[in-house]
Structure formats: C-alpha cells, structure tokens
Amino acid sequence: MSDLEIVRNNNNKKSYPVTKMDSAQAITSITKQKIQELFDLSTLYTSGNRDTEIDSVIYAQMKSYFVDQDSNKLSPLLLQLDSLKVQTAKVGNISVTKEIRGNDTLDLAKFYVEYFDFKNRLIGSFEKNAQYVLKPSPVKFVKEFKFYFVDFDSKLPKDSTSVGVTK
C-alpha cells in the first residue's frame, strides 16, 4: 500500500482517540474556552487603535458574549487591561459551581487569570469570578445551547494603600 493510499484510507478513529466527558466536565471546558476567548479578544482590542473597522467587529464580538449586550459589562475589563498594559492573558484553575439564591440558581465560575506584557513577562495573577447562563438553542439536536455571561467580575485588586496599610 502506498503512502497516498494510507492517507486516503485514514480516519480520525485511528488517528485521534475519542475522549468522553460528562456534562459537568463539558460545561467546565466550555466555560474556560469562553473566558479565554473573551480575554483574547479584549487584549487584541486594547492593543489596537479602537477606531478601525476590525476594532468595531472585535468589540461587537466581545459584546455578543453577554446576555445583555451592554458596553458597561466590558468597560471594567478593558480599563483593567489598558491600565496594566496587558498584551496576553492566560486563564487557568477554573471551578464551576451552582449557587441557590432564593428561587434562582446561579451558574458561577471562579478562575485565575495571568496577565503578560509585550515581552511576555508576567504582570500578575488575579482571581476572577463570572456568572454565566446556558440558553437552549436547538438547531440540529434537541439539547443544544448557547453560552452567555451574565456578569464578568473584572475589578482591580485593592492595593495596600487603599486598605490603609502603609510602611
């Protein structure tokens, strides 16, 4: 069998092992992916001039990650990335939980994000929180859904002088 025949008859079952996830693992994986995508788009947006067509497309894409496509949801995140001069961000250590408040069940994600500058040096590691919702959106299958952020906590950490600690 020639190399061309081997490639032609190759299939993904032999090349890539199939991994199975339960629904909790899938939600955690999707949540991490969406958070990382939002940070990637945000750092890309803050590194540009913010007045080009591609910048407006990136901004619209970032707003589409939220249930309420309100620019006030993005402002704190963009302000923090701008003030720290973040070039890239890496999301890690995510934990997804459900919290019951009254009659509402809230889907929450707690994660750490590391910020890096233009020389790929670590600026800092910050703990963040996000609230998300999965909305049913069946297209091909009955159990399809769309992921949206309800709230994205991007507050700057308090520095030692703001809490009254001085040397």
Side-chain angles (χ1 to χ4, degrees):
M1 196 188 271
S2 71
D3 290 340
L4 183 58
E5 287 290 321
I6 292 171
V7 172
R8 185 179 303 150
N9 295 323
N10 199 3
N11 60 33
N12 287 341
K13 290 178 186 169
K14 293 179 183 175
S15 301
Y16 303 102
V18 175
T19 57
K20 294 187 179 187
M21 292 188 225
D22 63 19
S23 61
Q25 289 172 319
I27 289 171
T28 301
S29 176
I30 291 167
T31 304
K32 182 177 181 179
Q33 177 186 351
K34 293 296 183 179
I35 292 169
Q36 184 65 57
E37 287 174 8
L38 183 61
F39 274 108
D40 289 345
L41 288 169
S42 299
T43 55
L44 186 61
Y45 180 77
T46 57
S47 68
N49 293 335
R50 301 180 197 177
D51 61 354
T52 64
E53 278 189 46
I54 193 69
D55 290 333
S56 63
V57 169
I58 292 170
Y59 193 76
Q61 178 68 29
M62 289 186 302
K63 283 182 13 180
S64 74
Y65 279 70
F66 291 88
V67 173
D68 303 323
Q69 295 189 10
D70 184 4
S71 59
N72 289 334
K73 300 280 186 183
L74 283 172
S75 296
L77 175 63
L78 297 176
L79 181 65
Q80 183 181 39
L81 295 176
D82 240 1
S83 66
L84 296 174
K85 303 205 181 326
V86 176
Q87 188 70 29
T88 57
K90 182 180 177 191
V91 176
N93 294 340
I94 186 167
S95 66
V96 175
T97 58
K98 288 187 180 289
E99 188 176 306
I100 298 172
R101 290 191 189 160
N103 293 335
D104 295 332
T105 302
L106 307 177
D107 293 314
L108 304 171
K110 181 184 261 186
F111 59 95
Y112 285 89
V113 63
E114 294 178 329
Y115 292 151
F116 298 92
D117 65 9
F118 70 98
K119 290 186 177 179
N120 211 23
R121 293 180 298 206
L122 181 66
I123 295 172
S125 180
F126 303 94
E127 183 179 296
K128 303 282 186 188
N129 297 296
Q131 181 184 350
Y132 66 91
V133 65
L134 303 173
K135 290 197 171 196
S137 177
V139 177
K140 293 181 184 176
F141 304 104
V142 176
K143 294 187 178 186
E144 288 189 48
F145 60 87
K146 288 196 176 194
F147 181 100
Y148 296 102
F149 290 111
V150 175
D151 191 27
F152 200 84
D153 176 20
S154 58
K155 298 174 188 160
L156 283 169
K158 294 180 180 174
D159 63 8
S160 60
T161 56
S162 68
V163 291
V165 178
T166 58
K167 291 185 178 183

